[in-house]
Amino acid sequence: MRLADLTPTEIVDQLARMHAADHGHSDDSPSPAEHTALADSLGCHAEARAAAWVAWCAELSPLDWDQAEYWLDVEFIEPCPEHQP
């Protein structure tokens, strides 16, 4: 999964799917490769992460924003390795 190949809506769909699976609300778990690819991509592309967050907020209840943002930034996204852009 390449971030450049995904629209913001597709990124949000993946984030929502992965978030639900991580919290036991869905059996539709991503493969480890899918999870890592999206987490690494968003970790290396702050502007894509910010755009995805804005789009995801439009779908989330405001009551869920803090928990979802914590999951996204702390539990999901991997820091970008220094040698990658």
Side-chain angles (χ1 to χ4, degrees):
M1 173 185 322
R2 286 180 8 103
L3 188 62
D5 296 337
L6 299 176
T7 67
T9 300
E10 290 171 329
I11 293 170
V12 169
D13 289 345
Q14 291 299 318
L15 287 174
R17 177 178 152 236
M18 293 177 188
H19 182 262
D22 281 1
H23 289 89
H25 301 292
S26 172
D27 292 333
D28 185 16
S29 297
S31 71
E34 287 177 304
H35 187 281
T36 299
L38 186 57
D40 286 349
S41 292
L42 290 176
C44 290
H45 299 93
E47 67 287 345
R49 181 255 174 245
W53 175 246
V54 168
W56 197 17
C57 280
E59 294 186 8
L60 290 170
S61 162
L63 298 175
D64 296 328
W65 288 353
D66 287 341
Q67 187 276 336
E69 189 170 31
Y70 179 85
W71 172 83
L72 180 63
D73 289 340
V74 176
E75 297 175 15
F76 181 72
I77 289 182
E78 298 293 327
C80 188
E82 290 184 30
H83 64 280
Q84 291 189 6

